[in-house]
């Protein structure tokens, strides 16, 4: 089945919509209370630099070797299947918890308009709505995303431009005031999640036009644009309400300078649409990762089934089912953010390691990729990004409660037990070697390597 691929323009809007989501509305008040109002503007700028460093190794990999499932595919084929297995289970945590974060944040803002409806009901409902949208394939999801992002940017623009004239603290004062470095690190560990999102595109690379070029461009444009917007939004937030410990959400600030009608538009067109664009992207991203792992045998065969719209339907339902289960089990927003942040930071260096192996396994694809950067520079960025991930992760770890540790430890124990018996079952009952399958090169990469070889030979002859 031929799947209609999305363009560079749709990629950029998908990336922006993925970044501007639940995280900025959920984590900005939390980050402000950690670092203080005086550090939040610079915090977003620093966090965006960290996001570039953290995501750049993955961009290098995707530029040379694009594939649905992205990091999982790179780890299993370039490093070792067990590294990919760890990542696949991380994605089960990060993916479902991210969608839960977004759905719970959506419910928080929705309740401001319709206070009588229970938040968990709203969170489950919005998850189901975007699950159904995702089932119609990436092209339909992209169209929905484009419309939502346009309205979203209008709402955030109203907040920034209207709020700027109502600030009681100048931008210079906010930036010049001192802040504690340790608190800044902790806040950045949370804020970086507000700026990560454009990497969703890497996980659906097989469904994007010219992914090796378009994905890096869309990532760069989306991340820079959003970082500047966030910095402006952060200044307005603390500039209007310098007693920042009273900020529970951005609507609390917006009601101080927006008319009732504009406040409703900000909540519905800004906060609510920001959340749904991220839900849309997250379901797209993580379902493709689950699909790739199922294709190798790690998850049941049913998870890799493709529906008539070219979408991995069962994988989408798996992601959403776990999300809904987490929400109705009583997880609150802070628990979800912490559980999501730790695997995303402390285990990121596992993903980055693939960069070291690529020039040895796919040298021609590496040399002819869109991001033509010397290998030693890429390796240096990997080392810096890994160190920063571990540093920020350690600070976020200090914010966690004992129950968060217990849940994460229990999850990895269960994942180990499941993997052991899954490998044994496939080998004994079906004669299928899952580890050997994970080591097999991805067929489109072989074709890409051959084309790159011919291109280099042609240049050499000329």
């Amino acid at each position: 089945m031929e799947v209609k691929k999305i363009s560079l323009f749709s990629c950029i809007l998908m990336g922006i919509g993925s970044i501007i989501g639940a995280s900025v509305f959920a984590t900005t008040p939390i980050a402000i209370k950690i670092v203080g109002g005086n550090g939040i503007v610079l915090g977003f700028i620093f966090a965006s630099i960290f996001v570039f460093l953290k995501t750049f190794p993955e961009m290098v990999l995707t530029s040379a070797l694009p594939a649905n499932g992205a990091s999982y595919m790179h780890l299993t084929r370039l490093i070792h299947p067990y590294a990919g297995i760890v990542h696949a289970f991380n994605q089960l945590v990060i993916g479902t918890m991210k969608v839960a974060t977004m759905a719970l944040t959506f419910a928080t803002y929705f309740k401001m308009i319709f206070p009588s409806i229970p938040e968990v009901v709203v969170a489950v409902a919005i998850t189901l709505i975007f699950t159904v949208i995702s089932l119609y394939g990436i092209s339909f999801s992209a169209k929905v995303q484009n419309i939502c992002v346009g309205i979203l940017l209008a709402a955030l623009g109203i907040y920034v431009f209207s709020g700027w004239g109502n600030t009681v603290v100048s931008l210079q004062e906010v930036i010049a005031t001192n802040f504690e470095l340790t608190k800044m690190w902790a806040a950045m560990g949370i804020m970086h999640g507000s700026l990560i999102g454009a990497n969703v595109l890497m996980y659906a690379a097989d469904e994007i036009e010219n992914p090796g070029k378009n994905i890096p461009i869309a990532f760069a444009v989306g991340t820079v644009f959003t970082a500047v917007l966030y910095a402006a939004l952060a200044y307005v937030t603390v500039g209007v309400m310098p007693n920042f410990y009273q900020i529970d959400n951005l609507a609390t600030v917006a009601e101080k300078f927006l008319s009732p009608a504009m406040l409703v538009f900000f909540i519905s067109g800004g906060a609510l649409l920001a959340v749904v664009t991220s839900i849309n992207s997250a379901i797209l991203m993580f379902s493709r990762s689950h699909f790739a792992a199922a294709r190798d045998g790690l998850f049941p065969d049913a998870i890799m089934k493709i529906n008539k719209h070219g979408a991995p339907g069962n994988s989408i339902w798996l992601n959403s089912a776990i999300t809904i289960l987490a929400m109705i089990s009583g997880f609150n927003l802070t628990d979800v953010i912490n559980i999501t942040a730790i695997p995303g930071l402390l285990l990121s260096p596992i993903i980055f390691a693939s960069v070291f192996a690529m020039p040895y396994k796919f040298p021609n694809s590496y040399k002819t990729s869109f991001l033509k950067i010397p290998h030693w520079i890429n390796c240096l960025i990997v080392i810096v990004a890994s160190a920063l991930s571990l540093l920020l992760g350690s600070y976020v770890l200090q914010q966690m409660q004992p129950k968060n540790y217990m849940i994460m430890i229990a999850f990895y124990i269960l994942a180990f037990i499941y993997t052991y018996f899954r490998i044994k079952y496939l080998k004994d009952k079906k004669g299928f070697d899952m580890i050997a399958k994970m080591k097999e090169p991805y067929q489109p990469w072989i074709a890409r390597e051959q084309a790159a070889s011919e291109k280099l030979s042609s240049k050499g002859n000329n």
Side-chain angles (χ1 to χ4, degrees):
M1 178 189 301
E2 186 176 349
V3 178
K4 187 176 180 180
K5 299 186 177 185
I6 63 175
S7 66
L8 173 60
F9 178 72
S10 290
C11 279
I12 292 172
L13 291 183
M14 179 70 76
I16 292 173
S18 303
I19 301 169
I20 305 176
S23 291
V24 69
F25 290 91
T27 62
T28 298
I30 296 172
I32 288 173
K33 290 172 183 177
I34 292 174
V35 73
N38 52 319
I40 191 65
V41 175
L42 290 177
F44 272 121
I45 300 299
F46 295 156
S48 68
I49 296 171
F50 170 57
V51 166
F52 264 102
L53 289 172
K54 183 175 182 290
T55 311
F56 189 80
E58 295 178 83
M59 282 296 155
V60 169
L61 290 160
T62 296
S63 179
L65 302 172
N68 274 11
S71 299
Y72 166 81
M73 293 294 292
H74 296 138
L75 285 169
T76 51
R77 272 66 185 177
L78 300 178
I79 301 300
H80 194 279
Y82 286 113
I85 289 171
V86 171
H87 182 68
F89 281 107
N90 287 343
Q91 296 294 70
L92 274 180
V93 175
I94 295 173
T96 55
M97 291 298 102
K98 275 190 177 296
V99 176
T101 300
M102 299 161 193
L104 289 169
T105 304
F106 179 93
T108 299
Y109 283 89
F110 190 86
K111 194 174 179 65
M112 295 177 183
I113 303 175
F114 301 100
S116 62
I117 304 178
E119 290 187 13
V120 69
V121 173
V122 174
V124 170
I126 195 63
T127 300
L128 289 174
I129 288 170
F130 275 87
T131 296
V132 173
I133 289 174
S134 296
L135 293 173
Y136 282 89
I138 192 171
S139 180
F140 182 71
S141 292
K143 290 176 182 177
V144 173
Q145 189 86 337
N146 293 350
I147 295 170
C148 290
V149 169
I151 300 172
L152 164 62
L153 292 178
L156 292 181
I158 288 173
Y159 180 92
V160 171
F161 289 110
S162 297
W164 204 285
N166 288 274
T167 55
V168 295
V169 180
S170 70
L171 178 59
Q172 184 177 358
E173 289 178 285
V174 171
I175 295 176
T177 309
N178 294 328
F179 52 82
E180 292 184 33
L181 185 58
T182 55
K183 290 184 177 180
M184 174 63 83
W185 284 119
M188 281 175 58
I190 293 174
M191 283 187 287
H192 97 285
S194 302
L195 284 159
I196 285 182
N199 59 338
V200 61
L201 301 167
M202 297 185 294
Y203 288 81
D206 291 338
E207 300 166 70
I208 293 172
E209 295 175 359
N210 194 4
K213 179 180 179 181
N214 287 350
I215 291 176
I217 291 174
F219 168 78
V221 172
T223 304
V224 170
F225 173 84
T226 309
V228 173
L229 178 61
Y230 278 8
L233 183 146
Y235 164 62
V236 168
T237 301
V238 297
V240 169
M241 198 168 172
N243 50 336
F244 53 83
Y245 285 104
Q246 296 179 16
I247 300 174
D248 293 323
N249 54 68
L250 298 185
T252 304
V253 182
E255 67 183 0
K256 293 185 176 299
F257 58 83
L258 292 180
S259 67
M262 285 295 98
L263 178 62
V264 171
F265 177 66
F266 172 70
I267 294 173
S268 57
L272 294 183
L273 277 185
V275 176
V276 299
T277 55
S278 288
I279 291 175
N280 187 29
S281 300
I283 292 175
L284 167 72
M285 171 181 179
F286 293 105
S287 64
R288 269 60 178 182
S289 184
H290 307 334
F291 164 82
R295 187 172 55 194
D296 285 341
L298 180 61
F299 301 136
D301 293 346
I303 304 302
M304 66 175 178
K305 185 177 180 181
I306 299 294
N307 66 19
K308 64 180 181 180
H309 302 290
N314 291 341
S315 181
I316 291 170
W317 278 116
L318 171 67
N319 198 80
S320 298
I322 298 174
T323 297
I324 292 170
L325 181 62
M327 291 188 296
I328 63 178
S329 296
F331 280 97
N332 61 44
L333 200 54
T334 301
D335 289 335
V336 170
I337 290 172
N338 282 331
I339 291 172
T340 302
I342 296 303
L345 286 167
L346 293 181
L347 299 175
S348 290
I350 298 175
I351 303 172
F352 304 159
S354 300
V355 172
F356 294 112
M358 188 162 54
Y360 303 102
K361 296 193 175 183
F362 292 90
N364 299 315
S365 298
Y366 192 24
K367 291 176 183 177
T368 58
S369 67
F370 175 70
L371 295 177
K372 296 180 177 65
I373 299 170
H375 183 58
W376 72 268
I377 293 179
N378 289 333
C379 291
L380 180 62
I381 292 174
V382 166
I383 293 170
V384 173
S386 298
L388 286 174
S389 293
L390 294 173
L391 178 63
L392 294 186
S394 66
Y395 281 107
V396 175
L397 197 64
Q398 297 172 23
Q399 309 290 321
M400 294 181 67
Q401 300 297 317
K403 66 176 181 178
N404 300 143
Y405 294 115
M406 294 171 63
I407 290 169
M408 291 181 63
I409 292 170
F411 173 80
Y412 285 113
I413 291 174
L414 290 174
F416 173 80
I417 294 171
Y418 168 85
T419 302
Y420 174 81
F421 284 105
R422 180 67 177 170
I423 293 172
K424 184 175 176 57
Y425 166 77
L426 290 175
K427 185 171 290 187
D428 295 345
K429 301 295 184 180
K430 297 190 175 183
F432 178 78
D433 189 334
M434 187 179 84
I435 301 301
K437 172 66 176 176
M438 290 179 175
K439 291 180 179 179
E440 291 179 1
Y442 185 44
Q443 192 59 43
W445 291 355
I446 297 175
R448 195 177 185 89
E449 180 70 6
Q450 180 61 38
S453 176
E454 293 172 359
K455 181 179 180 179
L456 290 171
S457 297
S458 176
K459 284 185 178 181
N461 292 333
N462 293 334

